[in-house]
Amino acid sequence: MKIKKIVTTVFLCYIQLCFTQTSNETNASDFIIAFGSCNKVNEPQPFWEEILKNNPNVFIWGGDNIYADSDDMNVVSLGYKTQNNNEGYKKLKRSIPIMATWDDHDYGKNDVGAEWEKKNESQHLFLDFLGISDDSPRRLQEGVYTSKVFDIEKGNVKVIVLDTRYFRSPLKKSAIEGRRYEPYMNNEGTLLGEKQWKWLEKELESNYSDFVIIVSSIQFLSSEHGFETWGNFPHEVERLQQLLVSKAVRNVIILSGDRHISEFSMTKIKGLKYPLVDFTSSGLTHSHSNYKGESNRYRVGRVISTPSFGLLKFDLDTYTVNMQIRGKNGIVYQEFKRQYPKN
């Protein structure tokens, strides 16, 4: 009984270490990603200086980068201009690269997909916001998906940014109280569209990177809440999972936003050497302050329903990633460490 009690105590201490309220971590990391979503341009933006204190190598917008739900492109343009004039964000842009996807509120209309009649005009303004040159191939592409490999001394990290708006089929309304949408059945509907799927397959064939980060504006694993999620297209969830297996993609982590809460979700997929983690970080300026709980069978730890940003710290000697949900004044609301296989 004494041995059992000691083992239990050690285990509880480990859990407390992984999911803590504060962090005094000072160990240097080989690569650092900061990311966040859900950002209202006319509200206080407290995190830009805080993000820079962590010395990230890149910042990734996870969607809803501005709130400009309008078919008037002057309104959307003004939103992006306001954000680009934010002093804290200007300093961030001068310091590190920026990558981004969009979500519904910067795409143009709540929960809208391929049916949005202003999507081409909206894409033009989105690329302007990111400073994409007029002669870039991205200007001729339908959708805002993109990728980039970050080479560092000990290896590299590939970031794949998906577009879950431009090609997405209209969502199926739910008649169940408390649910907004129901999943498609019988392989109907699409989230990414065939053109983007073919692009993604080619991106995942080049899987020499030590880690692959896939950015999705909406959650990949959590789907019981009845709002926007990959779970509304279960055949697309299965397709991505099987693609990771068939291409033997190394050490994938999914980053998501949208929900105005932050949390970690994780599942094991047969054929993958590691569990798949979906790290949700939302939002940067506002959050689900009256959050009362929702089911997520994949959740690891607890839900953070205060404004926050996400941080991933990569150690390529041990192949360990420390994922953190962070707030103001250096607070770490929750962290989750995973060690990944080297080959």
Side-chain angles (χ1 to χ4, degrees):
M1 288 298 292
K2 287 184 178 180
I3 293 175
K4 184 177 180 180
K5 186 175 181 180
I6 291 171
V7 171
T8 301
T9 301
V10 171
F11 176 77
L12 290 175
C13 288
Y14 172 76
I15 293 296
Q16 189 174 16
L17 176 64
C18 287
F19 299 100
T20 183
Q21 290 292 327
T22 59
S23 176
N24 295 317
E25 181 183 6
T26 57
N27 293 338
S29 301
D30 296 308
F31 191 77
I32 298 175
I33 293 174
F35 79 106
S37 63
C38 302
N39 179 75
K40 292 185 176 180
V41 299
N42 293 316
E43 292 193 5
Q45 298 180 25
F47 294 132
W48 303 123
E49 287 283 351
E50 199 70 42
I51 288 170
L52 282 174
K53 288 178 184 177
N54 290 278
N55 299 313
N57 299 91
V58 60
F59 175 77
I60 303 173
W61 284 108
D64 291 339
N65 313 316
I66 61 170
Y67 279 68
D69 299 66
S70 177
D71 59 4
D72 184 345
M73 292 298 105
N74 291 319
V75 173
V76 179
S77 179
L78 179 60
Y80 283 131
K81 182 178 180 180
T82 302
Q83 183 57 42
N84 270 328
N85 285 332
N86 179 280
E87 289 301 323
Y89 182 60
K90 285 165 67 175
K91 185 176 180 180
L92 184 86
K93 288 197 302 177
R94 290 193 298 265
S95 304
I96 58 174
I98 307 290
M99 297 185 72
T101 189
W102 56 14
D103 204 36
D104 50 348
H105 297 296
D106 42 354
Y107 182 57
K109 187 177 180 180
N110 187 52
D111 290 358
V112 78
E115 69 274 21
W116 180 232
E117 62 269 18
K118 294 287 187 176
K119 62 184 179 182
N120 292 322
E121 295 91 334
S122 184
Q123 179 173 332
H124 176 77
L125 294 177
F126 175 86
L127 296 176
D128 287 349
F129 169 61
L130 294 177
I132 304 301
S133 64
D134 290 340
D135 59 355
S136 169
R138 294 179 66 183
R139 293 287 184 176
L140 302 176
Q141 171 187 294
E142 293 182 313
V144 301
Y145 55 90
T146 188
S147 70
K148 181 178 176 62
V149 175
F150 292 88
D151 291 309
I152 53 182
E153 183 179 350
K154 298 177 182 178
N156 60 65
V157 176
K158 183 171 188 174
V159 177
I160 297 174
V161 174
L162 299 180
D163 185 335
T164 64
R165 291 289 159 191
Y166 194 96
F167 303 99
R168 198 213 67 203
S169 301
L171 298 171
K172 292 180 62 177
K173 295 287 181 67
S174 176
I176 302 173
E177 185 177 356
R179 293 185 65 88
R180 187 177 294 176
Y181 303 113
E182 288 296 325
Y184 275 92
M185 304 303 291
N186 302 317
N187 296 325
E188 295 178 352
T190 184
L191 183 62
L192 298 186
E194 199 57 35
K195 185 180 297 185
Q196 186 175 187
W197 271 114
K198 290 179 179 178
W199 169 85
L200 179 58
E201 183 170 352
K202 290 181 179 178
E203 290 292 315
L204 294 175
E205 285 175 350
S206 305
N207 59 3
Y208 59 86
S209 297
D210 298 282
F211 288 89
V212 176
I213 307 303
I214 298 178
V215 181
S216 166
S217 65
I218 59 174
Q219 289 183 306
F220 181 73
L221 289 180
S222 179
S223 61
E224 298 161 59
H225 45 70
F227 295 97
E228 290 197 277
T229 168
W230 277 68
N232 291 325
F233 302 86
H235 55 288
E236 302 265 274
V237 174
E238 177 69 17
R239 183 171 180 175
L240 180 53
Q241 290 179 345
Q242 292 308 309
L243 189 57
L244 298 180
V245 173
S246 64
K247 302 299 181 183
V249 186
R250 301 176 65 200
N251 303 332
V252 170
I253 299 171
I254 295 176
L255 307 183
S256 58
D258 176 55
R259 299 298 321 289
H260 302 171
I261 59 173
S262 297
E263 65 178 343
F264 300 109
S265 304
M266 184 174 70
T267 190
K268 292 183 178 180
I269 299 172
K270 185 177 180 181
L272 279 187
K273 297 180 179 180
Y274 53 89
L276 184 64
V277 173
D278 180 353
F279 180 1
T280 302
S281 182
S282 172
L284 287 167
T285 60
H286 58 290
S287 61
H288 194 353
S289 57
N290 61 346
Y291 176 81
K292 294 181 174 61
E294 65 185 30
S295 179
N296 174 7
R297 65 183 181 274
Y298 300 113
R299 183 179 297 131
V300 181
R302 67 189 189 283
V303 169
I304 303 300
S305 57
T306 56
S308 60
F309 65 93
L311 206 69
L312 294 87
K313 299 183 176 184
F314 296 81
D315 181 337
L316 291 185
D317 290 320
T318 63
Y319 267 52
T320 299
V321 184
N322 186 8
M323 295 169 253
Q324 300 178 332
I325 300 170
R326 301 188 69 109
K328 292 187 290 186
N329 302 316
I331 189 171
V332 177
Y333 290 116
Q334 191 166 193
E335 61 183 0
F336 183 44
K337 295 181 181 179
R338 290 293 310 176
Q339 186 170 24
Y340 289 80
K342 289 192 176 184
N343 48 47

